[in-house]
Amino acid sequence: MNQTFLPFVDANVQPHFRYNAELRRYLPDAHKLRSIPDVEQQWYQAPGGDYRADLYGEHYPGSDPDTVSRHLFDEGGASYAILNPLTRGNIADYLLNSRICAAVNDWLIDRWLEPDGADRFRGTIRVNPEDPRGAVAEIERLAGHPKLVQVGVPMQSREPFGKPMFEPIWEAAAAHGLPVAVHVNGGNGVDHPPTFAGHAHTYPGYAAFMPLNYFVHLAALIVEGVFGRHPGLKFVFADGGYDILTPLMWRLDTFWLSMRDQTPWVDRYPSEYLPDHVRFCSSALDGPVDAADAARWMDFSGKADLVMYGSGYPHWSTTAPAATADGLDTEQQRKVLWRNASELYGLTVSEGSTP
């Protein structure tokens, strides 16, 4: 008797450099000798290590394409993996930061995407939002690459992403049909505080409160009218935190309803922008503790249409697809494990059966 199985797309994988010299190879000559932060993060390291314990060994975790392919595809069973490499945090020299982003992109193409004969890796164009002109130029340089499927920016920012200075970046991404992925990229360089009141002293404080920043970006994108002006623009919040989405959107809906005269360009409830413009990657730290509550919880704010499975590999909080799907009904599982991601990134994925 055949049993239907659900495929899955891993929408949140962070490949890493083996060492700083690997990144320097891709920097222009004028920047090769500049001081840049190291591969290791300097702030808020997780107790016990930032990465999965079994990945420490011959290679720096997440740095060897063959090892990552074996873990994700051969052993894990993923159909595709979306690679979203970190850069070096927020560098005070914005031009250097932009060069680092370009170097990361060239490295990703050269070491990960071009050698991928099985055609299962997809990549991210990392850009520096503090250099809008440079960010647009980098999108234009690489948007035609068939394996680069989104634009990546750090969650930390001096200003909410709905502010006008960032809009040329979002406009360029939307024009090329590329979602914008927002991911924590801190620990090095000039690291903006992870909370609205400043820096946390501990890793739990950092990890628990950092996702609140995505809501500031999301609310600003809606309230400032960015989604209204760019109907094709989509944002992916890759660090989870979607368990706080519903109460915050309820609050935003309430304030919009009572103060519509201040935002006449927002022509519907803020929550109604979510299906067309917003996606989230799953996280081991999100959701109800009891899996029996998962299906009902996903129905609030239509989360099953918004969430994409992301393992977070190679980090310590790496989550298997079965854990993410636990407690969801079959249709919710299909959407979260593969359908939402395949539609967003234009991937061909189909269900199959095993004997």
Side-chain angles (χ1 to χ4, degrees):
M1 180 177 181
N2 288 349
Q3 181 179 6
T4 299
F5 73 93
L6 295 178
F8 68 94
V9 173
D10 192 337
N12 187 27
V13 175
Q14 281 79 56
H16 290 283
F17 294 99
R18 290 170 289 182
Y19 32 74
N20 259 5
E22 186 174 18
L23 170 60
R24 291 187 185 279
R25 290 174 44 208
Y26 296 90
L27 286 170
D29 289 341
H31 296 85
K32 273 186 167 64
L33 299 180
R34 291 288 300 276
S35 176
I36 60 176
D38 189 46
V39 173
E40 288 288 339
Q41 294 192 27
Q42 298 167 356
W43 294 2
Y44 300 121
Q45 288 191 327
D50 285 329
Y51 307 111
R52 220 171 67 185
D54 63 308
L55 299 184
Y56 289 93
E58 181 181 358
H59 306 288
Y60 191 84
S63 68
D64 179 62
D66 291 336
T67 301
V68 174
S69 293
R70 184 176 75 251
H71 289 163
L72 296 181
F73 304 127
D74 302 336
E75 299 173 4
S79 299
Y80 295 93
I82 311 300
L83 304 178
N84 189 5
L86 308 185
T87 59
R88 285 298 185 276
N90 303 283
I91 310 299
D93 182 342
Y94 76 94
L95 293 177
L96 174 59
N97 199 2
S98 295
R99 299 298 181 272
I100 290 174
C101 287
V104 169
N105 296 333
D106 290 338
W107 163 82
L108 185 68
I109 293 171
D110 186 50
R111 181 159 169 78
W112 293 81
L113 301 183
E114 297 295 355
D116 175 29
D119 194 34
R120 294 180 292 189
F121 283 134
R122 294 294 185 271
T124 302
I125 304 171
R126 291 307 306 257
V127 301
N128 174 18
E130 293 198 358
D131 177 18
R133 182 178 299 179
V136 171
E138 188 68 1
I139 292 171
E140 297 297 334
R141 180 174 80 93
L142 296 174
H145 195 291
K147 290 189 176 183
L148 291 170
V149 296
Q150 65 184 6
V151 172
V153 296
M155 184 181 288
Q156 305 94 308
S157 175
R158 298 180 193 274
E159 299 281 351
F161 284 151
K163 292 291 186 72
M165 72 278 284
F166 300 117
E167 193 157 354
I169 307 173
W170 319 144
E171 183 177 17
H176 289 285
L178 296 172
V180 177
V182 183
H183 195 289
V184 170
N185 193 47
N188 296 304
V190 181
D191 199 21
H192 299 301
T195 79
F196 309 124
H199 288 283
H201 284 166
T202 63
Y203 179 85
Y206 171 84
F209 293 111
M210 176 60 83
L212 287 171
N213 288 279
Y214 89 73
F215 185 76
V216 175
H217 293 313
L218 172 59
L221 288 162
I222 295 172
V223 172
E224 297 284 347
V226 178
F227 288 152
R229 289 189 293 274
H230 305 286
L233 179 61
K234 290 181 171 61
F235 266 69
V236 177
F237 295 98
D239 284 293
Y242 54 90
D243 50 352
I244 62 176
L245 174 69
T246 296
L248 291 174
M249 290 307 300
W250 282 345
R251 188 175 183 85
L252 189 59
D253 281 352
T254 298
F255 275 89
W256 168 81
L257 189 62
S258 61
M259 302 179 184
R260 294 183 60 184
D261 59 310
Q262 294 191 18
T263 56
W265 47 83
V266 181
D267 58 1
R268 48 187 147 152
Y269 279 101
S271 60
E272 293 180 8
Y273 285 92
L274 296 177
D276 293 334
H277 296 282
V278 181
R279 297 293 181 271
F280 299 87
C281 290
S282 62
S283 167
L285 308 179
D286 290 339
V289 175
D290 189 344
D293 298 325
R296 182 170 180 268
W297 175 77
M298 287 293 281
D299 283 336
F300 287 119
S301 303
K303 294 188 190 74
D305 294 315
L306 308 180
V307 177
M308 306 182 296
Y309 166 72
S311 67
Y313 181 98
H315 295 281
W316 69 271
S317 56
T318 297
T319 310
T324 299
D326 189 23
L328 304 183
D329 62 42
T330 301
E331 185 59 21
Q332 289 174 334
Q333 290 178 359
R334 286 190 175 97
K335 291 178 178 179
V336 171
L337 292 182
W338 66 272
R339 188 180 295 164
N340 293 341
S342 66
E343 291 175 353
L344 182 67
Y345 297 118
L347 305 174
T348 301
V349 180
S350 59
E351 294 183 31
S353 61
T354 55

